[in-house]
Amino acid sequence: IKASATEVCEGEMIQLDALVSNEGEHPMYTWSLNGEIVSDQPSWSFNQFEDGDQVICRLESSANCVQNNQKTASVFIQVDPLPVPEISGTLEICAGETTTLTAEGGNTYQWDSGHNTAAITVGQAGNYAVTVTSEKGCSSSTAASLTVNELPPATISGTLEICAGETTTLVAEGGNTYRWDSGHNTAAIT
């Protein structure tokens, strides 16, 4: 059996070809996977192998001059698992802020932004995708979406010119919560 590979990442295609001689004009091929017949052609391809699967090819020659006209060959397949990538970090920030996105689950990392580190610092809204590669060279990708909220249009209203001894009320608008530099956390202060 000639195999395009005997060790693959999960989901990769393997091409298997029967290497034969003295097969005659009408040989019979029987490919089996873990004992279950899967093909009767000279070649067979498959991409759903599991680690430790055994592939057997049995050839029955139609040549008249061949004694012992059946030959069997087998190969075992090693399947390496795909990494499970994850992205952690704050995915919602305010305009002008940045956040650090950190990829996990592999040995090497390649972000669609061109960075090849596990962590990147970003501040623009959008999707950030990373491809994670395992020690065995198997890769998986994932993405995270960063939301950037616009800053509220803060305004202060009230009388801004008073005489000594008078008070005025200043009212902040534009947000949901307020914090004055005087320590107050209400919309209006006097």
Side-chain angles (χ1 to χ4, degrees):
I1 296 176
K2 177 185 175 186
S4 59
T6 55
E7 181 178 359
V8 294
C9 297
E10 184 180 337
E12 282 186 18
M13 183 72 71
I14 297 179
Q15 170 78 32
L16 299 152
D17 299 303
L19 299 177
V20 297
S21 60
N22 298 324
E23 68 271 19
E25 288 186 34
H26 305 289
M28 293 178 55
Y29 299 91
T30 305
W31 291 91
S32 62
L33 174 62
N34 300 324
E36 182 179 330
I37 295 174
V38 291
S39 177
D40 62 357
Q41 300 299 309
S43 298
W44 179 61
S45 297
F46 193 58
N47 67 347
Q48 297 298 315
F49 287 105
E50 294 182 6
D51 192 39
D53 279 350
Q54 182 183 27
V55 178
I56 297 175
C57 181
R58 185 172 66 87
L59 168 67
E60 186 174 332
S61 173
S62 65
N64 294 329
C65 61
V66 176
Q67 295 179 359
N68 187 11
N69 68 344
Q70 292 187 10
K71 295 287 184 185
T72 301
S74 68
V75 64
F76 286 92
I77 306 298
Q78 180 179 334
V79 178
D80 299 318
L82 298 177
V84 180
E86 293 182 10
I87 297 175
S88 61
T90 301
L91 297 177
E92 188 171 356
I93 59 174
C94 294
E97 296 180 340
T98 60
T99 185
T100 298
L101 302 180
T102 303
E104 300 174 18
N107 287 22
T108 62
Y109 304 91
Q110 184 64 52
W111 293 87
D112 59 355
S113 60
H115 295 88
N116 59 3
T117 56
I120 61 171
T121 300
V122 295
Q124 291 186 342
N127 289 324
Y128 292 88
V130 64
T131 298
V132 174
T133 304
S134 71
E135 183 178 5
K136 292 283 192 172
C138 300
S139 298
S140 292
S141 298
T142 191
S145 180
L146 177 65
T147 300
V148 178
N149 297 313
E150 292 298 322
L151 298 176
T155 60
I156 298 175
S157 62
T159 303
L160 299 178
E161 188 175 337
I162 59 173
C163 296
E166 294 180 339
T167 62
T168 187
T169 298
L170 302 178
V171 179
E173 298 178 50
N176 291 332
T177 61
Y178 304 92
R179 178 149 182 87
W180 295 85
D181 57 4
S182 63
H184 295 87
N185 58 5
T186 57
I189 60 171
T190 301

